[in-house]
Amino acid sequence: LWVINAKNIKVLFLGAGDTIKYRESEIDILSPDEKSLLAKNLNETGIVELIKMNGVRALFTADIEKKTERLLAHAFDLKADILKAGHHGSKTSSDIEFLKEVNPAVVVLEFGENNRYKHPAPQTIESFESLDIPALGTGVFGNIGITLAENGLNITTEKKE
């Protein structure tokens, strides 16, 4: 914080209702709102953004849990081609009804290989499988890249040994 002050860097706080636009792309901030910022569970205060670019929608859910997923599903059109799963694929996120609302073509999970929390949770993976949603985890595939191709999404992975 002292570096920000010392260099007189402008700080911008984003929350629900804010939008960032760049050329034809847009990032809608869906959460947190003022009420969720008061949550005792800090996971529920993560920034959730819906990125819209070239006709593709990607939903990034930070570490939000099922309670916030349900609230967002009732408040917004969450349909997305790409979903970055909440909370590293823990059992506290990726509610089945939320997944049905988002209806992604692919889910990306961020977790370390052999992590101490044992993410992702088996029941979370089962939820993806039950809805036929392919899930790619960084702990298995390494770096995951998704680009727009003429025939849809082009997914690449790179695992460093």
Side-chain angles (χ1 to χ4, degrees):
L1 189 58
W2 65 269
V3 172
I4 290 171
N5 289 333
K7 296 191 178 223
N8 200 26
I9 297 172
K10 183 178 178 182
V11 176
L12 179 64
F13 294 94
L14 297 173
D18 290 327
T19 299
I20 301 167
K21 293 184 180 185
Y22 179 73
R23 296 184 182 167
E24 303 301 316
S25 301
E26 185 174 294
I27 302 172
D28 293 329
I29 308 300
L30 307 182
S31 187
D33 60 15
E34 288 182 22
K35 183 178 177 184
S36 62
L37 281 173
L38 301 174
K40 292 179 184 175
N41 181 349
L42 291 179
N43 288 336
E44 302 291 21
T45 65
I47 295 179
V48 177
E49 60 264 3
L50 179 62
I51 301 170
K52 298 180 265 187
M53 182 184 334
N54 298 325
V56 174
R57 294 165 55 104
L59 182 62
F60 288 75
T61 58
D63 281 350
I64 65 167
E65 298 185 0
K66 293 177 181 181
K67 176 183 175 185
T68 300
E69 288 176 346
R70 289 184 199 116
L71 291 171
L72 293 174
H74 290 301
F76 299 100
D77 173 9
L78 298 179
K79 298 278 186 262
D81 305 286
I82 304 161
L83 171 64
K84 198 292 287 172
H87 204 181
H88 316 283
S90 84
K91 65 182 179 183
T92 62
S93 296
S94 299
D95 178 73
I96 196 84
E97 295 305 318
F98 173 77
L99 293 173
K100 287 178 183 177
E101 287 293 321
V102 178
N103 192 27
V106 65
V107 172
V108 175
L109 300 104
E110 294 179 289
F111 60 90
E113 188 174 18
N114 301 317
N115 64 82
R116 66 181 170 146
Y117 300 103
K118 306 223 184 303
H119 290 145
Q123 57 263 53
T124 301
I125 298 301
E126 289 170 13
S127 294
F128 301 141
E129 290 173 350
S130 74
L131 297 173
D132 293 320
I133 302 169
L136 301 171
T138 55
V140 176
F141 293 96
N143 293 328
I144 300 167
I146 303 176
T147 56
L148 185 60
E150 283 185 27
N151 58 347
L153 300 175
N154 181 33
I155 300 172
T156 58
T157 63
E158 176 189 11
K159 183 153 186 169
K160 297 179 181 179
E161 296 300 324

